[in-house]
Amino acid sequence: MVVKPRRTTTKNPPILSHEFIIQNHADIVACVAMVFVVGLIFQMSSPFASIFIALHHNTTRSAVTGIQPATPFDDEILYTVGWKDSCAIFFYTLIGIVMHALVQEYILDKLTRKLHLSKIRHSKFNDAGQLLAFALISTIWGINIILRENYLSHISNLWEGFPHAEMTFVLKFYMLCQLSYWLHWVPEIYFLRMKKDEIPSKLITAGVYFAFITFAYLTYLSRVSTVLLVLHFIPEIFISLGKLSFFAEKEQASVWLFRVGNLFYIFARFLSVMCAVLTFWFGLEPFASQALRYLGLGLVGGLQCYLFFQFAIFHAKRLKGTGTTAAGSPKKSKKNFKRSL
């Protein structure tokens, strides 16, 4: 008697179908990025490929006098804003999609398999993990720039010599990577199959980040924007760690991480407002136009007030919900806390 092999119902999706693109989007995007990298090897395509990979619009100045250097050993390569930056943003957006997939596959997916999370908690766990990775890298990188550029020891560097049309390589690359990261969330909405109710909030968040960073980059406010970004991302690290700990059922650790994150969140809002007032209202007074100063101060101050207002409303609702359900059943209060995350 011959035993027929069991037919499997799993089939590979058709090539170039939606399912195929979603399942293999990281490999597809990596291949597209490799086309530009391989283009650097050949002399014919190297000028075109370098527009997307390398930073352009560079100027050479003397590190001592600030004019054209007399010898090549005294020069300092600085960069300005230009149209070729859009090509670099496109390329590093592709890199952001690939890095997003790598973090998801090799770190977050392995953790979620051990935790056995539901679909809703699985999505929130992934969002917190992705934000933690980016906030941690942005904070460490931003602190390195702040220390290297002496923004703490000489805080007047934030406004003296404005407009700061020339940037160092690290500062310009940092700003372009910020823009690329928030831009990469637009195709990620399709790749991650987000629900319709999740799409508006994700687009608004990415759009606000992208708009503010673009405004700072085009108006030569990259120095103060780097400080503000570092202040913003520090509490996000602790809050994201608290969410990950909570989903991993490490409730005691999550409580302390949330407390530290909330404390840093409040301090970050006040420090950001102080930095904006010091820079836009006092520091840039003899250098920038009145319209730019008022616009920058209004945008930063308005955003910080909105974030603090949302923070207060969120915790007020959570405390009210836990207070009304604590007398009846403690299980309901835990469910309300989980929903708030």
Side-chain angles (χ1 to χ4, degrees):
M1 181 178 178
V2 179
V3 180
K4 295 182 179 181
R6 184 179 178 182
R7 295 182 179 179
T8 58
T9 57
T10 57
K11 295 181 180 180
N12 293 327
I15 298 177
L16 298 181
S17 63
H18 290 285
E19 192 67 26
F20 178 84
I21 294 175
I22 291 174
Q23 290 182 5
N24 303 279
H25 72 273
D27 298 330
I28 296 173
V29 173
C31 291
V32 175
M34 284 300 298
V35 171
F36 295 100
V37 176
V38 174
L40 293 174
I41 301 175
F42 303 99
Q43 185 177 2
M44 182 181 299
S45 59
S46 179
F48 176 77
S50 63
I51 296 177
F52 292 85
I53 300 176
L55 300 186
H56 293 273
H57 306 288
N58 57 306
T59 59
T60 305
R61 293 290 183 269
S62 174
V64 179
T65 61
I67 59 177
Q68 293 293 335
T71 63
F73 300 100
D74 298 331
D75 60 350
E76 180 183 12
I77 300 178
L78 301 175
Y79 296 84
T80 59
V81 179
W83 68 270
K84 294 181 181 179
D85 296 338
S86 58
C87 300
I89 292 173
F90 170 76
F91 176 78
Y92 290 105
T93 299
L94 301 179
I95 301 301
I97 295 174
V98 176
M99 295 303 297
H100 186 114
L102 292 176
V103 173
Q104 183 67 43
E105 182 177 356
Y106 292 100
I107 299 177
L108 298 179
D109 285 347
K110 292 183 179 180
L111 294 176
T112 52
R113 292 192 193 101
K114 297 179 181 179
L115 298 176
H116 304 288
L117 302 175
S118 61
K119 289 184 178 181
I120 298 177
R121 301 183 73 180
H122 184 273
S123 177
K124 293 182 179 180
F125 184 90
N126 291 336
D127 290 341
Q130 293 288 347
L131 181 58
L132 173 63
F134 178 71
L136 189 61
I137 294 174
S138 298
T139 302
I140 296 175
W141 192 359
I143 291 175
N144 179 41
I145 294 174
I146 292 173
L147 296 178
R148 179 180 295 184
E149 302 289 338
N150 296 321
Y151 294 158
L152 289 180
S153 58
H154 298 84
I155 196 171
S156 59
N157 289 339
L158 295 178
W159 57 79
E160 283 187 354
F162 185 85
H164 304 135
E166 297 178 337
M167 298 172 286
T168 60
F169 173 85
V170 180
L171 180 58
K172 179 169 182 173
F173 192 46
Y174 179 80
M175 297 297 294
L176 294 182
C177 288
Q178 291 289 329
L179 293 171
S180 302
Y181 175 81
W182 295 110
L183 187 61
H184 103 282
W185 274 106
V186 177
E188 284 293 344
I189 292 175
Y190 171 73
F191 296 145
L192 298 177
R193 302 176 186 175
M194 289 187 179
K195 298 180 181 180
K196 291 184 179 180
D197 56 344
E198 297 178 351
I199 293 176
S201 61
K202 185 61 69 176
L203 284 177
I204 291 174
T205 301
V208 170
Y209 275 104
F210 187 83
F212 272 79
I213 297 173
T214 302
F215 172 78
Y217 185 70
L218 295 179
T219 55
Y220 310 119
L221 295 170
S222 299
R223 297 184 182 182
V224 65
S225 64
T226 302
V227 177
L228 294 176
L229 286 172
V230 171
L231 290 175
H232 177 77
F233 284 129
I234 289 176
E236 293 294 337
I237 294 175
F238 292 97
I239 294 175
S240 299
L241 281 173
K243 292 180 179 180
L244 295 178
S245 301
F246 178 81
F247 293 132
E249 298 182 353
K250 305 291 184 181
E251 296 185 0
Q252 187 175 3
S254 66
V255 169
W256 284 104
L257 287 170
F258 279 131
R259 289 178 179 176
V260 175
N262 293 336
L263 184 63
F264 275 106
Y265 192 92
I266 296 173
F267 278 124
R269 304 286 75 81
F270 284 104
L271 289 177
S272 297
V273 173
M274 291 174 59
C275 181
V277 172
L278 185 63
T279 302
F280 292 103
W281 189 260
F282 296 104
L284 292 177
E285 183 177 3
F287 302 103
S289 63
Q290 191 174 9
L292 179 61
R293 291 170 52 226
Y294 286 169
L295 181 59
L297 182 60
L299 289 175
V300 176
L303 179 62
Q304 301 306 317
C305 292
Y306 173 78
L307 293 175
F308 186 79
F309 178 76
Q310 293 295 323
F311 175 81
I313 293 297
F314 169 78
H315 285 279
K317 290 182 178 180
R318 189 175 68 84
L319 291 175
K320 183 179 179 180
T322 55
T324 55
T325 56
S329 59
K331 294 183 179 179
K332 292 183 179 180
S333 61
K334 289 185 178 181
K335 289 183 179 180
N336 292 333
F337 180 71
K338 293 178 182 179
R339 289 176 183 175
S340 63
L341 294 178

